[in-house]
Amino acid sequence: QVQFVESGGGLVQPGGSLRLSCVPPRTIIGIYDMGWYRQAPGKQRELVAHITIGGGTYYADFVKGRFTISRDNAKNTALLQMNSLKPEDTAVYYCNSYPPSDYWGQGTQVTVSS
C-alpha cells in the first residue's frame, strides 16, 4: 500500500451524519500531523481539518461546530465525524498528512442530498 486509503463515505440526507476513516500508506514511517481535505466538482481541493500529533485541532470555518477530527496514534489513523451535513458538503474527501504528502488516495465520495 503506497497511498492513503479513505472509507466511510456515502449518500446522506441534509442534517445527517457520516464518519470517515483513513489508513495511511505503509511507506510513511513515523507519526505526523494529519489532515482531511475535500474536493467538490469544479473546485480545487481544500483543507477541511487537521490534527497534530498532540491532539491539537484546526477546522475550516465552513465545518466548525459540525465536524470533529480525531486520531489514533497507535494505529496512525485519522477519523472525521461529520454531523449536520449540508448539500454544500458534497465532495470527495481525502486524508493525508498535514502538510500533505504526494501519497493521495482515491478519496471517498460524500453526497448530501434529499
Side-chain angles (χ1 to χ4, degrees):
Q1 176 193 345
V2 295
Q3 59 188 20
F4 287 86
V5 178
E6 303 88 353
S7 62
L11 173 64
V12 63
Q13 292 186 343
S17 298
L18 286 173
R19 189 186 194 207
L20 306 184
S21 300
C22 167
V23 176
R26 298 176 181 176
T27 49
I28 298 181
I29 305 301
I31 299 175
Y32 38 85
D33 295 355
M34 296 192 70
W36 281 96
Y37 307 78
R38 73 184 187 186
Q39 186 168 19
K43 295 186 177 181
Q44 291 189 333
R45 186 152 44 198
E46 59 187 355
L47 176 67
V48 174
H50 70 79
I51 185 167
T52 68
I53 297 171
T57 57
Y58 161 85
Y59 296 94
D61 286 343
F62 51 79
V63 302
K64 278 183 181 177
R66 301 188 297 123
F67 291 11
T68 302
I69 188 172
S70 60
R71 66 183 298 153
D72 181 336
N73 284 344
K75 300 179 180 179
N76 215 16
T77 59
L79 303 173
L80 186 68
Q81 178 67 42
M82 306 188 297
N83 299 328
S84 302
L85 282 161
K86 304 175 181 180
E88 51 264 44
D89 294 320
T90 296
V92 179
Y93 284 72
Y94 303 86
C95 74
N96 206 317
S97 58
Y98 178 81
S101 70
D102 293 331
Y103 301 101
W104 292 101
Q106 298 300 309
T108 185
Q109 176 70 48
V110 171
T111 302
V112 185
S113 175
S114 55

